């Protein structure tokens, strides 16, 4: 089953410092890669909307049930929220997390795709779809999806998720002969993340 690794699952990753010249070259490469990523396709549903207040209330109850590990109740509530407001992205992200917990991989991926259709900046959904593409050997697709997640403004992303996105984008770029440099640490990853389980906190869309 696909699991989103929590930040502490990556605590033991060893990082090799880069020289300043390597950092500049890698950063330039990353900028060039991101510049070539096509713009996300948008539709009426992906534009800024004011969600149905009733849907927001039901969604809040669904998240509470999810955080209390009452997945069946959360699933019932989140489907009610979607029935009230189909254009709102966060319920689909939550639906994907619930299907993950219930072991329904295909439904999880479908829900995450719908989350991205409604909000192309939904970082968690982009991350999951990107990692899945990489697992399937579709590295260019993974770079596109993870690159879109990486390009979202930092303040809009949970720090733990930001690190996971950067790490996995680095792995995808390494597979294509490119290197990702952390703008913060100036380091490049040399090992894979250890597997981990659990969620990543607040929704990203």
């Amino acid at each position: 089953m696909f699991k989103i690794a929590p930040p502490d699952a990556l605590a033991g990753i060893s990082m090799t410092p880069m020289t300043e010249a390597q950092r500049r070259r890698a950063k330039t490469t990353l900028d060039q890669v991101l510049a070539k990523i096509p713009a996300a396709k948008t539709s009426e549903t992906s534009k800024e909307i004011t969600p149905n207040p009733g849907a927001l209330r039901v969604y809040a109850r669904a998240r509470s049930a999810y955080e209390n590990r009452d997945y069946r109740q959360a699933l019932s509530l989140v489907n009610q929220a979607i029935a009230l407001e189909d254009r709102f992205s966060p319920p689909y992200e939550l639906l994907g997390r619930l299907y993950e917990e219930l072991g329904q991989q295909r439904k999880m991926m479908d829900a995450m795709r719908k989350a991205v259709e409604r909000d192309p900046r939904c970082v968690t959904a982009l991350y999951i779809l990107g990692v899945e593409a990489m697992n399937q050997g579709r590295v260019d697709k993974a770079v596109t999806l993870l690159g879109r997640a990486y390009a979202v403004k930092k303040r809009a992303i949970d720090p733990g998720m930001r690190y996971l996105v950067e790490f996995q984008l680095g792995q995808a770029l390494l597979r294509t002969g490119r290197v990702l440099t952390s703008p913060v640490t100036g380091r490049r990853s040399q090992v894979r993340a250890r597997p981990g389980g659990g969620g990543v906190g607040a929704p990203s869309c």
Side-chain angles (χ1 to χ4, degrees):
M1 184 192 305
F2 184 96
K3 283 288 186 180
I4 304 173
D8 58 6
L10 304 178
I13 294 176
S14 63
M15 306 289 279
T16 301
M18 303 179 73
T19 66
E20 181 62 24
Q22 288 174 323
R23 189 194 66 76
R24 285 197 301 270
R25 284 197 300 272
K27 183 63 169 61
T28 299
T29 299
L30 176 59
D31 289 342
Q32 291 171 345
V33 170
L34 295 180
K36 292 178 181 178
I37 292 175
K41 293 181 180 179
T42 60
S43 65
E44 289 300 316
T45 58
S46 67
K47 295 179 181 178
E48 292 295 330
I49 65 168
T50 301
N52 180 311
L56 284 174
R57 287 192 293 270
V58 176
Y59 168 68
R61 291 170 57 201
R63 279 207 62 84
S64 178
Y66 170 77
E67 290 163 1
N68 289 324
R69 299 181 182 275
D70 187 351
Y71 300 134
R72 296 294 176 182
Q73 175 69 1
L75 185 62
S76 174
L77 289 167
V78 80
N79 278 316
Q80 290 178 41
I82 288 170
L84 289 168
E85 179 58 85
D86 182 65
R87 301 172 299 165
F88 191 36
S89 180
Y92 280 102
E93 183 194 21
L94 178 58
L95 183 63
R97 292 175 185 239
L98 286 164
Y99 281 136
E100 175 199 3
E101 296 293 346
L102 296 172
Q104 300 185 45
Q105 178 83 4
R106 184 171 296 179
K107 288 185 176 180
M108 179 194 78
M109 301 305 293
D110 183 58
M112 292 301 180
R113 278 190 286 270
K114 288 179 179 178
V116 171
E117 286 172 4
R118 284 152 180 79
D119 182 0
R121 300 162 301 175
C122 187
V123 174
T124 298
L126 287 166
Y127 170 79
I128 290 175
L129 294 171
V131 172
E132 181 65 15
M134 193 155 59
N135 290 340
Q136 294 174 355
R138 300 162 63 201
V139 181
D140 288 340
K141 181 68 172 177
V143 169
T144 295
L145 291 164
L146 293 167
R148 286 177 182 164
Y150 182 87
V152 174
K153 294 181 179 179
K154 286 185 180 180
R155 64 176 177 271
I157 310 176
D158 173 84
M161 176 54 71
R162 175 75 182 184
Y163 188 87
L164 289 171
V165 168
E166 182 174 318
F167 181 86
Q168 293 294 349
L169 178 56
Q171 296 304 300
L173 291 172
L174 284 170
R175 289 193 188 185
T176 63
R178 304 173 179 125
V179 175
L180 170 67
T181 303
S182 165
V184 176
T185 64
R187 297 165 182 260
R188 57 182 174 182
S189 155
Q190 296 294 323
V191 300
R192 293 180 179 273
R194 297 198 304 272
V200 290
S204 65
C205 55

